[in-house]
């Protein structure tokens, strides 16, 4: 379920979509073009994202093309980490895999699938990669940037 927030910061209204997501990073298919289990999970996570975005898809695509957005990718911390380590890294930048360009590519490939738009129209990426808070799961924070008139 997507949650919405409206916040005002430095004369800009920001509408924020929080999209829960379990990240699956895998090849789309094997080198022979066949699906394996991890490729199947990858496509299932793409379908899950399409369902969650739903009616917001066109608004998100328009924001991506017109560079009126910011995306924050929040990743769940590893289960093996101690609580002390989780508290230390909560809401800090993530510098490990997956790469931010792969996260952005996953997001845009999912949204632009079977649309009249092409993701080559995106000329600039405005993304950050974070560790989620201690008890939170992975999610995408999509921020629509709107100027006040």
């Amino acid at each position: 379920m997507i949650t919405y927030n409206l916040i005002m910061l430095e004369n800009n209204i920001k509408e924020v979509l929080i999209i829960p997501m379990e990240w699956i990073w895998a090849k789309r298919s094997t080198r022979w073009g066949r699906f394996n289990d991890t490729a199947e999970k990858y496509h299932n996570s793409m379908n899950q994202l399409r369902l969650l975005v739903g009616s917001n898809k066109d608004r998100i695509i328009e924001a991506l093309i017109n560079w009126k957005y910011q995306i924050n990718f929040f990743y769940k911390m590893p289960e093996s980490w101690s609580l002390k380590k989780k508290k230390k890294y909560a809401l800090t930048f993530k510098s490990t895999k997956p790469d931010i360009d792969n996260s952005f590519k996953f997001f845009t490939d999912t949204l632009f699938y079977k649309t009249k738009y092409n993701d080559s129209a995106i000329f600039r990426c405005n993304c950050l990669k974070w560790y989620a808070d201690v008890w939170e799961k992975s999610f995408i924070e999509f921020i629509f940037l709107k100027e006040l008139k």
Side-chain angles (χ1 to χ4, degrees), residues 21 47 79 96 122 124 141:
M21 196 65 216
N47 291 334
E79 297 290 331
T96 58
I122 300 171
R124 185 183 241 178
E141 181 181 66

Side-chain angles (χ1 to χ4, degrees), residues 19-24 43-53 110:
I19 307 165
M21 196 65 216
E22 283 300 319
W23 295 101
I24 305 292
H43 282 277
N44 288 341
S45 63
M46 290 178 87
N47 291 334
Q48 177 190 7
L49 179 58
R50 283 188 200 104
L51 287 172
L52 288 170
V53 168
T110 302

Side-chain angles (χ1 to χ4, degrees), residues 8-149:
M8 187 166 179
L9 187 66
E10 297 177 13
N11 294 330
N12 281 331
I13 297 174
K14 296 184 178 187
E15 181 182 351
V16 181
L17 296 180
I18 308 294
I19 307 165
M21 196 65 216
E22 283 300 319
W23 295 101
I24 305 292
W25 301 109
K27 295 179 181 177
R28 294 181 193 160
S29 61
T30 64
R31 67 179 182 184
W32 298 281
R34 296 184 205 112
F35 280 115
N36 57 22
D37 290 341
T38 52
E40 188 72 29
K41 288 178 186 176
Y42 180 86
H43 282 277
N44 288 341
S45 63
M46 290 178 87
N47 291 334
Q48 177 190 7
L49 179 58
R50 283 188 200 104
L51 287 172
L52 288 170
V53 168
S55 62
N56 294 299
K57 181 177 172 178
D58 289 333
R59 290 179 57 223
I60 293 172
I61 289 173
E62 184 181 325
L64 286 166
I65 291 172
N66 295 317
W67 199 59
K68 294 190 177 188
Y69 72 94
Q70 168 149 353
I71 302 175
N72 293 315
F73 296 103
F74 287 88
Y75 293 90
K76 180 180 169 184
M77 294 182 211
E79 297 290 331
S80 60
W81 284 12
S82 68
L83 183 58
K84 182 179 178 181
K85 187 172 181 178
K86 286 181 179 181
K87 286 180 179 178
K88 178 182 175 185
Y89 285 96
L91 302 176
T92 60
F93 290 117
K94 182 177 183 341
S95 60
T96 58
K97 288 187 176 187
D99 299 338
I100 197 162
D101 59 325
N102 293 337
S103 303
F104 187 72
K105 184 71 175 155
F106 170 82
F107 187 72
T108 56
D109 281 353
T110 302
L111 289 177
F112 282 85
Y113 179 72
K114 292 188 177 179
T115 64
K116 64 181 180 180
Y117 304 102
N118 190 330
D119 63 354
S120 63
I122 300 171
F123 65 93
R124 185 183 241 178
C125 301
N126 192 10
C127 306
L128 294 171
K129 190 171 67 163
W130 305 84
Y131 282 112
D133 206 353
V134 176
W135 304 111
E136 292 205 51
K137 296 188 181 235
S138 300
F139 63 94
I140 303 168
E141 181 181 66
F142 190 91
I143 303 170
F144 294 96
L145 303 176
K146 300 177 184 178
E147 294 180 8
L148 285 174
K149 295 181 181 178

